[in-house]
Amino acid sequence: MESTITWLNMIGLSLGAIGSFGLALLTKVFITIKADGHQTWGPPEGVTNDEWLQQNRRLRLKQKYGLPFSYGALGAGFLLQLVAIWLSALAK
């Protein structure tokens, strides 16, 4: 039982780390930092959002699959850690 709890906790922790790392990398794609230091979201100046999304297929894939996968990994990791805590309380 202890090994199961340990494995659930380790897998949950790993999924949480992977999800948060994925979100950190995804925001790098969405945020542009200008030379004066301010940040902007979205397309570069002079390009409409629709044109920008058509030109950048990788960005659309990251928006469509990357964000849900990262949030899903965070949620699944949190859930596995809750189950591990619950199992450890039952084992006592």
Side-chain angles (χ1 to χ4, degrees), residues 27 30-42 45:
T27 56
F30 300 133
I31 300 172
T32 305
I33 300 174
K34 301 290 183 178
D36 62 357
H38 77 278
Q39 301 174 356
T40 59
W41 290 71
E45 295 175 10

Side-chain angles (χ1 to χ4, degrees), residues 1-2 6-7 16-17 22 32 38 43-44 46 54 59 64 70-71 80 82-83 91-92:
M1 185 71 151
E2 285 183 27
T6 303
W7 278 104
T32 305
H38 77 278
Q54 287 177 351
L59 179 65
K64 187 173 183 178
S70 294
Y71 280 115
L80 283 177
L82 285 178
V83 169
K92 291 183 180 180

Side-chain angles (χ1 to χ4, degrees), residues 5-75:
I5 294 169
T6 303
W7 278 104
L8 283 175
N9 196 19
M10 285 178 21
I11 292 170
L13 205 63
S14 300
L15 283 173
I18 289 169
S20 61
F21 186 69
L23 285 176
L25 289 178
L26 284 171
T27 56
K28 180 181 152 192
V29 175
F30 300 133
I31 300 172
T32 305
I33 300 174
K34 301 290 183 178
D36 62 357
H38 77 278
Q39 301 174 356
T40 59
W41 290 71
E45 295 175 10
V47 178
T48 66
N49 194 38
D50 292 333
E51 290 174 337
W52 185 53
L53 289 176
Q54 287 177 351
Q55 294 170 0
N56 198 345
R57 296 182 113 191
R58 288 178 61 194
L59 179 65
R60 286 191 308 187
L61 285 174
K62 288 178 182 179
Q63 286 177 332
K64 187 173 183 178
Y65 299 110
L67 286 174
F69 180 75
S70 294
Y71 280 115
L74 280 171

